[in-house]
Amino acid sequence: MKKSSTLTTTTSMPTSPTLSAQTLSASKISLNSSSSRSGSVAGSIRSSCQSPVRPGSGCVDAIKAKREEIEIDTLLEKAKFYTSVCLGTTAILSVFTFLFLIPFVVDPAISTIIADYDPVPVTCIVIDHIYAEGIKNCSWSSCREGCTSSLTKCHQLFVNYTRIPYSDWERNPRDLDTVNWDVSYTKFLINSEGCGYPPTTNCSVFARQYGFSHIGEPFPCYYSRAYPEVVIGRYSWENNLYHLILSLIIPNVLFAISIGVLSYWYCPCCEKACNKSSRVYAEKFPTKEEIVNCMKCNTEKSLSLNVF
């Protein structure tokens, strides 16, 4: 019994090495076949990559078209960026410009319109000219260079005026002693604000033109129909309205255009509102005919719908 057991063991032992050798050989064959396949694929890829590309082929045209699209996109992005910077700067400058124009152009123009000056010049004469120095003595001035500067030197001119047009006075001069003046000894200003900025406003020239040796000489002036005691030396309805319209329209239009374009580019809500479809809400859903045609074309969807 012992011998048989040993024989059986000896006969059963050689089976395992033969099986392992067969499995190893099979694995080697599979590895060799897979490596040969991968080598063939790699070789084909290498050959396709290393093959010379013809200039007239579709691949080259597609690559060129793609590069051109990328270049155009980059140029558009750069243009949009620089345009946005310019528009933002324009919006900021237009706001500051409008705030600057309010006290220097808008407010004087509106006050001139409210004063309602007679556009036809009447006849005036200067009856008194006072030159004063010091802040206490210069409570007002007929001319001031700089509307925000403090007065240390001032020219104060007082006039009489009559509503006789200056053109009639030139054709038919009157004796000053016999004239009935409508307003006597009233303040005379260079314009409705009594101030201005060089070179349009020069107080020394203004004083030499109307005061000093020219006292008592008739000259054209403009009086206010709303405030008869106000008399000025310079007035033009067209220029006043022209400057008022320009100061109101140009900064506000530039600001509105800049903000509108920037909002359209960078505000999602504005972009959705601008690109909103004009279709009615009910028209956005498919009709029954469209659903039936879709179900006929795609049977899987129709089956799923029938299930439900």
Side-chain angles (χ1 to χ4, degrees):
M1 292 297 292
K2 292 181 180 178
K3 288 181 180 180
S4 62
S5 64
T6 54
L7 288 171
T8 55
T9 54
T10 54
T11 55
S12 63
M13 287 294 291
T15 57
S16 59
T18 55
L19 289 172
S20 61
Q22 290 177 358
T23 53
L24 288 172
S25 62
S27 62
K28 286 181 181 179
I29 292 166
S30 63
L31 287 172
N32 291 327
S33 62
S34 62
S35 63
S36 62
R37 289 177 184 175
S38 62
S40 62
V41 172
S44 63
I45 294 171
R46 289 175 183 175
S47 62
S48 62
C49 293
Q50 292 176 0
S51 61
V53 181
R54 295 179 181 179
S57 61
C59 296
V60 175
D61 296 336
I63 292 170
K64 288 183 179 179
K66 193 66 176 177
R67 288 179 180 176
E68 290 177 356
E69 289 179 1
I70 293 170
E71 290 178 357
I72 291 170
D73 291 338
T74 53
L75 288 174
L76 290 175
E77 288 178 358
K78 289 181 180 179
K80 184 177 180 181
F81 172 74
Y82 289 116
T83 306
S84 301
V85 172
C86 293
L87 290 173
T89 306
T90 303
I92 295 170
L93 291 178
S94 61
V95 170
F96 283 104
T97 302
F98 181 70
L99 294 176
F100 177 80
L101 291 174
I102 286 175
F104 294 104
V105 179
V106 178
D107 190 18
I110 293 173
S111 63
T112 301
I113 293 172
I114 293 172
D116 189 18
Y117 291 98
D118 190 353
V120 179
V122 297
T123 306
C124 291
I125 60 168
V126 176
I127 59 174
D128 193 7
H129 178 198
I130 299 172
Y131 174 76
E133 294 183 357
I135 297 175
K136 293 182 180 180
N137 297 325
C138 293
S139 59
W140 71 279
S141 177
S142 296
C143 178
R144 183 171 58 178
E145 296 178 2
C147 297
T148 58
S149 61
S150 59
L151 290 174
T152 56
K153 299 178 181 180
C154 58
H155 295 273
Q156 298 175 353
L157 278 72
F158 296 89
V159 298
N160 295 343
Y161 77 86
T162 178
R163 289 188 175 91
I164 299 173
Y166 185 71
S167 58
D168 295 343
W169 184 281
E170 285 183 329
R171 288 194 299 267
N172 186 15
R174 280 84 165 172
D175 188 3
L176 297 177
D177 296 332
T178 60
V179 174
N180 293 322
W181 303 102
D182 293 310
V183 177
S184 300
Y185 206 80
T186 186
K187 298 177 182 179
F188 178 64
L189 305 176
I190 186 173
N191 50 31
S192 59
E193 303 84 32
C195 61
Y197 294 90
T200 57
T201 301
N202 192 330
C203 294
S204 300
V205 175
F206 172 77
R208 286 195 299 268
Q209 181 181 358
Y210 296 102
F212 296 113
S213 61
H214 295 283
I215 295 176
E217 294 181 2
F219 64 91
C221 62
Y222 302 89
Y223 74 96
S224 171
R225 288 178 286 197
Y227 309 102
E229 68 278 1
V230 178
V231 184
I232 61 175
R234 299 176 185 175
Y235 174 73
S236 175
W237 169 258
E238 292 79 9
N239 291 335
N240 184 49
L241 188 63
Y242 176 75
H243 290 103
L244 178 62
I245 291 173
L246 288 182
S247 60
L248 290 175
I249 290 177
I250 292 177
N252 293 323
V253 168
L254 291 176
F255 178 79
I257 291 173
S258 303
I259 295 299
V261 175
L262 292 174
S263 300
Y264 177 75
W265 280 349
Y266 298 103
C267 182
C269 300
C270 298
E271 187 175 358
K272 289 179 181 179
C274 293
N275 297 327
K276 188 177 181 180
S277 177
S278 60
R279 294 179 62 188
V280 184
Y281 182 75
E283 294 179 356
K284 296 180 180 180
F285 296 95
T287 60
K288 293 181 179 179
E289 295 178 355
E290 293 176 352
I291 293 172
V292 171
N293 293 328
C294 181
M295 291 172 68
K296 289 180 180 179
C297 295
N298 195 344
T299 58
E300 294 180 358
K301 289 184 178 180
S302 63
L303 291 173
S304 62
L305 290 172
N306 291 325
V307 170
F308 290 103

